[in-house]
Amino acid sequence: DAMKIVVGKVEYPTPMIASYMYYMVYNPYWNAPDHLVRKIAQNYLTMGEKYLTSRGYQVMKDWTASSEVLPPSAVDWKAVASGKTQIRIRQKPSDDNSMGDLKFPFVNNLDIFLHDTPQREYFNRAKRDLSNGCVRLEDARRFARWLLGAEPAPPSDGAEIQVQLPRGVPIFLTYTTAEVRDGRIAFRADPYRLDPAAGTAKGASR
């Protein structure tokens, strides 16, 4: 099978990873990365608490699975906006959640995973290095169906429901700048600048 994906921006490149996937998540939370937390803090200072509630954002006490939710008034938002203080902000499951309905974690030390997305318009673009590092899938339900061997269906409407896969699945995130087309080598774009030689040869072979 094959499908379109969205990968990390040049400043937040998706890394090459070899790992295993053992479970998937229905109705996931989205934990905002630090650089977006600073933007959220700036918007909070401008628009107040309604900015958080309208987007389903919650301020969390820590990064544990059982962390409690803090009131926004407990945060020094100016310190967060300036980067002096780091906090955890997560987004509740919803139609607008950045994870969509499905998340596919696998073991790695960079917190990279595959996931669904509500931003379907991105898949119409030819250049799709638009994410914060994780990989967005064009058809997450089809991928889940392949993993499970059955139609994906959450056991409840609760948040962050983990479901074990029938077996561990190897995952390889790769980055290639050359391929064979019609029996000849053809070079592709190299947005992360990992293969300088590809840029040299690109003008001679397409």
Side-chain angles (χ1 to χ4, degrees), residues 51-70:
Y51 172 78
L52 301 181
T53 55
S54 66
R55 288 160 177 78
Y57 291 149
Q58 296 175 313
V59 181
M60 309 306 295
K61 183 177 181 180
D62 53 47
W63 281 88
T64 62
S66 58
S67 175
E68 63 181 273
V69 178
L70 296 178

Side-chain angles (χ1 to χ4, degrees), residues 25-29 58 90-94 156-162:
V25 181
Y26 291 102
N27 306 327
Y29 289 111
Q58 296 175 313
R90 75 178 183 188
Q91 186 181 33
K92 294 184 290 185
S94 70
S156 75
D157 59 359
E160 199 78 11
I161 303 173
Q162 297 186 8

